[in-house]
Amino acid sequence: MAASESGEVAAPYGGGTSGGPRRVRTRHFLQAKRDGHPIVGLTSYDFLSAQIFDRAGIDFLLVGDSAGNTVFGYDTTLPVTVDELIPLTRAVARAAQRALVVADLPFGSYETNPREAVHTAIRFMKETGAHAVKLEGGERSAEQIRHIVEAGIPVMAHIGFTPQSEHGLGGHVIQGRGEAGAEQLLRDARAVQAAGAFAVVLEMVPSDAAKAVTEALEIPTISVGAGPHCDGQLLVWTDWAGLATGRIPRFVKQYAQIGKDLEAAAVAFREDVASGAYPAPEHEYE
């Protein structure tokens, strides 16, 4: 990073100084890979969290179909629909002043044929203000990616463990293991790059396999449990911030315990109301 004459430190890409944010673009992802600047992403599903993450300098916000678990309470991401994700994506896009906003294409909205994929991607771009879309699958989704890119819409690909294929993969199983697994991962990565994806998410794959893919590609790789050798890192924010309950994936580092703080605050509020401590005179109007 280079400091200006005023002493302010300019962001390595996509950002400026305190004079105002500049939008992160897909070209900045490629520049970051070339320059060795790690790319940082979080999921977001609402206006308020997106504002906070944007102010914090997070480079991209993914409105993931993980909303199926975190927002709608589904057991998997499979039931999530386009109509459910569109208002969430619209809220995040309204909040983000600097971050690139990526909309996840949910299961069943792009697999049938490239025409369907382009139609879904166009809906997200027109109705939400997102800047790119993401879809799962390597070689099997290359045609869909190619047609979406030809329509002028940036695509972030997603290979390795693909949650929408959870049942076909036999559950939450690490991908890319062994010689055959690593070769398939590399084939998938090269296929999405050739199709025009500007970046590719690698989820739940061994670090060595992810490193080999990262070194082989010109586009940046984004790790979700793929180790430290990728060009960027992405986490589901409700896991990262301790809002989610239950089993947390091994690759998640929790930076806060918001769930415990909220529960404690709710208990304190209930007790104050029950005891008459709230509202106090300072909370009244005269």
Side-chain angles (χ1 to χ4, degrees), residues 46-207:
D46 64 275
F47 183 85
L48 293 178
S49 70
Q51 273 192 323
I52 293 168
F53 302 154
D54 194 60
R55 290 197 302 266
I58 300 301
D59 300 315
F60 74 98
L61 299 176
L62 170 66
V63 188
D65 61 1
S66 50
N69 309 110
T70 63
V71 176
F72 301 115
Y74 302 139
D75 291 333
T76 71
T77 64
L78 298 181
V80 180
T81 67
V82 171
D83 289 335
E84 287 175 323
L85 284 184
I86 279 180
L88 306 186
T89 308
R90 186 183 297 129
V92 171
R94 284 174 175 167
Q97 299 298 306
R98 174 183 177 270
L100 185 91
V101 177
V102 183
D104 228 347
L105 303 191
F107 177 70
S109 70
Y110 62 90
E111 292 90 345
T112 303
N113 55 62
R115 182 175 180 179
E116 176 191 47
V118 172
H119 173 74
T120 303
I122 288 174
R123 276 202 65 190
F124 272 101
M125 300 299 284
K126 287 180 67 69
E127 298 180 36
T128 72
H131 311 115
V133 300
K134 182 178 77 65
L135 66 152
E136 296 181 3
E139 291 180 319
R140 64 181 171 85
S141 296
E143 278 303 302
Q144 284 90 330
I145 293 171
R146 182 174 292 107
H147 281 77
I148 294 172
V149 171
E150 288 176 353
I153 300 171
V155 175
M156 177 179 284
H158 183 157
I159 62 175
F161 175 72
T162 48
Q164 294 174 10
S165 306
E166 173 183 343
H167 298 307
L169 295 173
H172 288 72
V173 180
I174 297 171
Q175 302 297 302
R177 277 182 164 163
E179 184 176 347
E183 288 177 356
Q184 182 60 57
L185 188 72
L186 188 55
R187 286 197 298 271
D188 283 335
R190 284 174 169 155
V192 299
Q193 175 176 267
F198 72 90
V200 56
V201 170
L202 306 181
E203 182 166 355
M204 285 177 57
V205 301
S207 296

Side-chain angles (χ1 to χ4, degrees), residues 1 31-32 39-40 43 63 75 137 144 241 285:
M1 299 184 189
Q31 181 182 335
I39 302 163
V40 184
T43 65
V63 188
D75 291 333
Q144 284 90 330
Y285 294 108

